[in-house]
């Protein structure tokens, strides 16, 4: 996937909106995700051989024992179980077991691991007029926070969560590779006329709610604001129906919204989803079971799917 090339003006605006470096969180060197993405980069190229834990550990510059404890701590799975969770065969199984999941997820009253779906999100969409103005008159507060998948950029309005992106390296891949300025520029180009304010105090509570499964509760739903075209919002609303531990295809999403021949347009809308993880575009895969592209990189997509597999395994236990 070719990274996005931002215009000098957009990058300059993002850089000007940045506070002093001392105001940002300091990521601990050798954090779990830093090691996990190195492991994933190796697995990505070697999963067909089902590499041993010794080979994985050697690629990560760690011992097999360290790798075993890392995955147990990070996602609750053994390295072998994690590897199985992100393989093509498993993806095909998810698709087979998730047939018609978009039509049945709410009607059947999911139990067990399925109760994790949506992070119990409640959402609203901004009017088409608000979107067409490029966010003019809209105040967006943003902050950078540590997460299980690297440093996250969280963007909120007074109505709820509007954006969640990542600071990505070349190991993560994706369309937004660089630093914090590139991550912010990616949001700014979506709503170029909005007023962006660095306010991590306003976004910190969202980070805690989003990334802590213990905080996923129906009685305190996470409020999300969808800002896009009518078609994009319909696609994103459909993504919210995909439970944790399940997957669907672009074609199934297209059929669900009444546009069965619009799989390619659905793919474009999925790629423009500004609220990573919460609006789960990572749960949409190719009809063959291949993970296909991801705006924030396939390494991170594999990490999220594997982490979620750990959450559902723990819930089912």
């Amino acid at each position: 996937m070719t990274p996005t090339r931002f215009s000098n003006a957009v990058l300059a605006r993002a850089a000007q909106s940045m506070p002093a470096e001392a105001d940002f969180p300091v990521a601990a060197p050798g954090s779990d995700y830093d090691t996990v993405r190195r492991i994933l980069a190796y697995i990505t190229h070697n999963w067909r051989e089902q590499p041993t834990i010794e080979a994985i550990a050697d690629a990560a510059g760690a011992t097999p024992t360290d790798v075993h404890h890392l995955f147990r701590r990070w996602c609750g799975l053994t390295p072998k179980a994690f590897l199985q969770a992100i393989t093509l065969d498993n993806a095909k199984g998810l698709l087979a077991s998730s047939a018609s999941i978009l039509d049945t997820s709410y009607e059947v009253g999911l139990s067990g691991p399925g109760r994790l779906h949506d992070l119990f999100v409640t959402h609203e969409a901004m009017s088409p007029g608000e979107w067409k103005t490029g966010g003019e008159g809209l105040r967006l507060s943003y902050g950078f926070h540590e997460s299980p998948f690297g440093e996250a950029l969280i963007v909120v309005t007074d109505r709820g969560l509007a954006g969640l992106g990542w600071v990505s390296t070349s190991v993560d891949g994706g369309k937004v590779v660089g630093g914090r300025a590139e991550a912010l520029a990616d949001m700014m180009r979506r709503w170029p006329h909005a007023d962006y304010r660095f306010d991590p105090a306003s976004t910190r509570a969202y980070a805690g709610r989003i990334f802590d499964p213990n905080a996923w509760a129906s009685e305190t739903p996470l409020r999300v604001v969808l800002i896009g075209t009518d078609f994009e919002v319909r696609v994103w609303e459909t993504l919210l129906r995909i439970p944790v531990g399940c997957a669907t295809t672009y074609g199934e999403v297209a059929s669900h919204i009444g546009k069965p021949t619009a799989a390619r347009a659905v793919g474009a809308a999925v790629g423009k989803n500004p609220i990573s993880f919460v609006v789960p575009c990572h749960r949409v895969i190719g009809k063959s079971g291949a993970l296909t592209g991801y705006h924030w990189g396939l390494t991170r997509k594999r990490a999220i799917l594997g982490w979620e597999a750990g959450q559902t395994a723990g819930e089912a236990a």
Side-chain angles (χ1 to χ4, degrees):
M1 182 177 286
T2 303
T4 297
R5 293 182 180 274
F6 298 106
S7 70
N8 291 337
V10 172
L11 276 177
R13 186 186 177 202
Q16 290 169 1
S17 299
M18 291 288 177
E21 188 68 23
D23 293 328
F24 289 108
V26 178
S31 64
D32 283 353
Y33 182 67
D34 183 57
T35 304
V36 166
R37 65 182 164 194
R38 291 202 305 271
I39 292 172
L40 281 171
Y42 174 77
I43 290 175
T44 296
H45 297 290
N46 298 279
W47 67 267
R48 289 179 178 82
E49 287 73 37
Q50 292 288 294
T52 64
I53 190 171
E54 287 79 14
I56 293 171
D58 185 61
T63 68
T65 299
D66 288 341
V67 170
H68 181 86
H69 289 313
L70 163 70
F71 277 96
R72 280 292 195 184
R73 179 174 64 248
W74 183 71
C75 67
L77 297 175
T78 65
K80 181 178 180 180
F82 181 86
L83 179 59
Q84 291 173 339
I86 63 171
T87 63
L88 182 64
D89 287 343
N90 181 70
K92 289 178 178 177
L94 284 179
L95 290 177
S97 64
S98 302
S100 302
I101 193 67
L102 296 177
D103 296 323
T104 62
S105 59
Y106 288 146
E107 287 80 354
V108 300
L110 291 171
S111 60
R115 295 306 305 166
L116 286 172
H117 72 87
D118 301 345
L119 298 106
F120 297 99
V121 166
T122 181
H123 72 278
E124 65 174 296
M126 285 197 166
S127 71
E130 289 174 301
W131 174 80
K132 286 179 180 178
T133 64
E136 186 173 357
L138 179 65
R139 177 169 178 170
L140 294 174
S141 300
Y142 74 92
F144 291 88
H145 304 275
E146 285 303 301
S147 82
F149 317 108
E151 191 173 14
L153 166 64
I154 294 177
V155 180
V156 303
T157 74
D158 57 2
R159 292 153 67 175
L161 177 71
L164 197 169
W166 312 95
V167 178
S168 294
T169 70
S170 58
V171 177
D172 298 300
K175 299 288 288 186
V176 188
V177 175
R180 295 185 182 112
E182 283 77 9
L184 182 58
D186 184 49
M187 290 294 174
M188 285 183 164
R189 69 186 177 89
R190 299 168 188 271
W191 314 299
H193 303 306
D195 177 22
Y196 292 82
R197 306 284 181 89
F198 179 69
D199 186 6
S202 296
T203 54
R204 187 171 294 111
Y206 282 88
R209 285 287 313 282
I210 292 166
F211 299 116
D212 180 5
N214 294 321
W216 300 354
S218 56
E219 56 271 17
T220 54
L222 180 71
R223 178 164 289 278
V224 169
V225 180
L226 303 177
I227 310 174
T229 67
D230 178 67
F231 181 82
E232 288 168 348
V233 168
R234 289 173 64 194
V235 170
W236 302 338
E237 287 176 332
T238 301
L239 301 184
L240 286 169
R241 300 178 70 97
I242 310 171
V244 175
C246 293
T248 192
T249 66
Y250 301 99
E252 287 175 350
V253 174
S255 294
H256 181 78
I257 64 173
K259 302 284 187 180
T261 61
R264 186 177 296 274
V266 164
V270 169
K272 292 179 180 178
N273 167 35
I275 310 178
S276 176
F277 186 69
V278 174
V279 178
C281 50
H282 58 276
R283 297 180 200 150
V284 184
I285 60 181
K287 62 182 179 181
S288 69
L291 295 190
T292 67
Y294 185 58
H295 188 77
W296 288 278
L298 281 178
T299 294
R300 185 169 277 114
K301 184 170 184 172
R302 287 185 173 90
I304 295 173
L305 289 172
W307 185 88
E308 288 186 342
Q311 303 309 308
T312 56
E315 187 78 2

